[in-house]
Amino acid sequence: MLFDPARHEALQAIPWDENRVRANIGMIVADAESRFTPQAWWPPHPRDVEPCEGAKQPATPLYYGACGVVWALHYLQDVGAVRLQRNYREPALLADLLARNNAWLGDDAAAQAGSFMMGELPMRLLEHAAQPLPTTADRLAELISGQLAHPARELMWGSPGTLLAALFLHQRTGEVRWADLFRSTAAMLWSQLLWSEEFGCHYWTQDLYGQQFTFIDAVHGFVATAAPLIHGRNLLAEADWAAWQACFENTVLRTATWEGQQANWRAHLTPPPTKPLLMQYCHGAPGFVICLADLPGHALDDALVAAGEAVWAAGPLNKGSNLCHGTGGNGYAFLKLYQRTGDSVWLQRAQSFAMHGIAQSQADAKQYGQMRYSLWTGDPGFAIYLWDCLRGRADFPTLDVFYGAAST
């Protein structure tokens, strides 16, 4: 089976309401601003607290902590969705955030400083956005180059995350050194590819948390690494990009699981799945669509559309409205397909998931007595999804965009 029905719920038939969507974005931002204090940043949500962490200790990383909330709030302001009551990128605040994050990482702080979702790197990117000083740029270059040989080889902790950082910095500044760092990171990743005789495709291994994996999906896997290479393909030599494109197409097509006109992918290349496949951004078809929808050419057209049909058939996730493993993240697959195909049915499906996600977010806040202050696992990230549903755009937060530019 392509998904586990127990992880999903029936779609609520709530009509698309632009005014309600705009109001919900405003409410999420206003609530986040009202709950901020410089002493405690934002209160952690019970769902985001790890067993080894204090229930009242504020989370700090880009992925599920204060760094991500700061990014989301300022991004929403930069694109014209809201107007903030204060600046969360003040130097003193960012310095405090970095110190707290280093304390959280403990002995791993230096080794993991270049992590895009958990380390120092995104905080320096925020610092560069607020005030692009040469010293900040030099530190960013040091973090990116220092990540080249990281054994994770995935987006959260490894060099694919710094590949994204180099691309965002080049897009923002046009400076050659960021393009050079992008190319050197891409070359290292190419040299680290392995070949599976069993499946007839390339893959990477990921050394994570004391174990070795063969993830092929988003966040930790193959297609998450493909995404920044697709977006930055114009920085690569023509022959190099052609080789990358053939590699992506082959691995994706050879690892798909089909049922009729629908498709999904397992989390790992090996071993084969022994239970129902997951259907969320971080593991499953939604992440494949989101990471691959900007690939040029038509080789993956049928697979991506089939993946979208599987996401729709599965329905919203019952783990909430969030991006990583919730309804908002799955809805971004529809926005990507709308952007790729121009078929309005995908926008309508994205908007249906948006309305369902609003109901989920409100029910969750009522249950826990607070909203979920997190970019990838909470309400600020979902607010960005709502904004993109209004615009009919598919700019997945911190994967497609980092520096927002005012737009309508």
Side-chain angles (χ1 to χ4, degrees):
M1 191 172 189
L2 292 182
F3 62 91
D4 182 356
R7 292 176 173 269
H8 297 264
E9 60 190 38
L11 178 67
Q12 298 182 46
I14 305 172
W16 172 249
D17 185 337
E18 183 174 322
N19 291 332
R20 184 179 175 188
V21 171
R22 291 183 182 276
N24 200 258
I25 295 170
M27 181 273 293
I28 290 171
V29 171
D31 175 78
E33 292 209 89
S34 72
R35 296 300 299 271
F36 171 81
T37 66
Q39 296 76 30
W41 290 85
W42 284 278
H45 194 278
R47 289 185 174 183
D48 287 325
V49 176
E50 296 292 334
C52 60
E53 298 175 347
K56 296 183 178 180
Q57 182 69 24
T60 51
L62 178 72
Y63 174 70
Y64 74 113
C67 179
V69 180
V70 170
W71 182 88
L73 294 178
H74 279 278
Y75 176 78
L76 284 165
Q77 177 169 264
D78 289 346
V79 297
V82 300
R83 184 178 295 276
L84 300 179
Q85 299 302 307
R86 67 167 298 163
N87 177 15
Y88 300 92
R89 300 186 304 201
E90 294 173 358
L93 285 176
L94 292 180
D96 176 68
L97 184 60
L98 177 57
R100 289 174 187 246
N101 200 68
N102 284 340
W104 170 71
L105 286 169
D107 293 341
D108 290 332
Q112 305 298 354
S115 166
F116 182 65
M117 292 192 184
M118 297 295 194
E120 175 185 342
L121 179 65
M123 298 172 193
R124 295 298 184 186
L125 289 170
L126 285 174
E127 184 180 296
H128 190 268
Q131 194 173 12
L133 297 174
T135 52
T136 305
D138 289 344
R139 179 55 178 161
L140 283 164
E142 181 182 7
L143 290 169
I144 295 169
S145 60
Q147 200 78 346
L148 278 171
H150 196 286
R153 290 176 285 272
E154 50 81 71
L155 189 65
M156 181 173 282
W157 297 99
S159 63
T162 46
L163 192 70
L164 263 181
L167 177 60
F168 290 140
L169 287 162
H170 182 264
Q171 290 171 341
R172 183 172 177 83
T173 69
E175 293 180 14
V176 172
R177 72 165 158 179
W178 306 122
D180 288 342
L181 282 167
F182 183 91
R183 284 188 284 267
S184 61
T185 305
M188 176 64 79
L189 285 165
W190 182 265
S191 73
Q192 294 169 332
L193 277 167
L194 301 175
W195 177 259
S196 169
E197 291 291 346
E198 179 181 3
F199 297 101
C201 66
H202 287 96
Y203 68 102
W204 286 283
T205 58
Q206 300 87 24
D207 294 345
L208 290 166
Y209 317 123
Q211 300 181 62
Q212 191 170 83
F213 301 92
T214 59
F215 286 113
I216 57 172
D217 50 18
V219 178
H220 292 308
F222 184 89
V223 297
T225 300
L229 289 161
I230 292 167
H231 294 155
R233 61 187 181 275
N234 291 335
L235 298 179
L236 302 173
E238 185 175 345
D240 291 341
W241 167 245
W244 276 117
Q245 182 166 358
C247 172
F248 298 151
E249 291 170 353
N250 181 63
T251 295
V252 170
L253 292 174
R254 286 188 173 273
T255 55
T257 299
W258 288 78
E259 287 186 4
Q261 298 301 308
Q262 299 175 13
N264 197 3
W265 287 262
R266 57 189 180 272
H268 307 266
L269 182 66
T270 56
T274 58
K275 55 185 178 181
L277 304 180
L278 297 178
M279 185 68 76
Q280 55 199 43
Y281 170 79
C282 51
H283 300 301
F288 276 73
V289 175
I290 291 163
C291 292
L292 298 167
D294 296 320
L295 184 75
H298 300 288
L300 297 185
D301 284 356
D302 291 344
L304 294 177
V305 169
E309 293 293 352
V311 177
W312 179 249
L317 284 150
N318 57 23
K319 295 179 74 174
S321 61
N322 68 84
L323 298 179
C324 191
H325 36 261
T327 300
N330 283 21
Y332 258 113
F334 303 143
L335 288 177
K336 284 286 188 179
L337 287 169
Y338 173 62
Q339 182 173 282
R340 184 177 177 91
T341 68
D343 188 341
S344 62
V345 71
W346 296 114
L347 178 59
Q348 293 164 12
R349 290 177 175 182
Q351 292 172 340
S352 294
F353 269 40
M355 300 308 294
H356 184 100
I358 289 173
Q360 286 181 307
S361 173
Q362 293 173 345
D364 188 81
K366 184 177 180 179
Q367 178 182 353
Y368 289 97
Q370 67 168 79
M371 302 202 82
R372 196 170 181 179
Y373 308 105
S374 163
L375 171 59
W376 277 74
T377 66
D379 291 292
F382 178 62
I384 297 171
Y385 171 65
L386 294 177
W387 178 249
D388 278 356
C389 283
L390 287 169
R391 301 189 299 167
R393 294 274 293 273
D395 296 333
F396 196 93
T398 66
L399 185 62
D400 294 327
V401 288
F402 197 93
Y403 297 110
S407 62
T408 56

